[in-house]
Amino acid sequence: MSLLDDAKKEAYPRQTTSQKHTYFLELRHPLFTSPIRFANHDVNIENLELEATAPANAGEPFTFIWTRVITQYA
């Protein structure tokens, strides 16, 4: 099942904007000593305060490690 309808699939590649969407990912597992947090960005995003409702380290500043996230629309 596709999350994008046909109109959005056609429109997104044609956008001419300088804005960048940043996605934040958090991986938690009982074997990890702390959550691993990633952001699809060019640099680490340091001292980003987590939301008050975060399941781990709520309200604390944290560094999100940069990584490339590639999306593919089916």
Side-chain angles (χ1 to χ4, degrees):
M1 181 172 94
S2 176
L3 298 177
L4 295 176
D5 59 35
D6 290 336
K8 287 181 182 175
K9 285 183 189 177
E10 183 179 339
Y12 282 1
R14 297 174 189 223
Q15 286 183 318
T16 56
T17 180
S18 61
Q19 293 181 345
K20 179 178 181 178
H21 294 276
T22 302
Y23 297 96
F24 297 93
L25 306 170
E26 177 180 275
L27 302 176
R28 291 184 287 132
H29 190 275
L31 296 178
F32 296 165
T33 57
S34 65
I36 300 172
R37 296 183 173 105
F38 299 96
N40 74 322
H41 209 277
D42 300 335
V43 296
N44 289 347
I45 299 176
E46 298 181 9
N47 297 320
L48 182 66
E49 188 174 306
L50 299 176
E51 65 272 14
T53 58
N57 308 98
E60 294 181 15
F62 199 87
T63 297
F64 282 77
I65 302 167
W66 78 273
T67 186
R68 299 268 187 238
V69 177
I70 299 171
T71 58
Q72 180 177 352
Y73 303 112

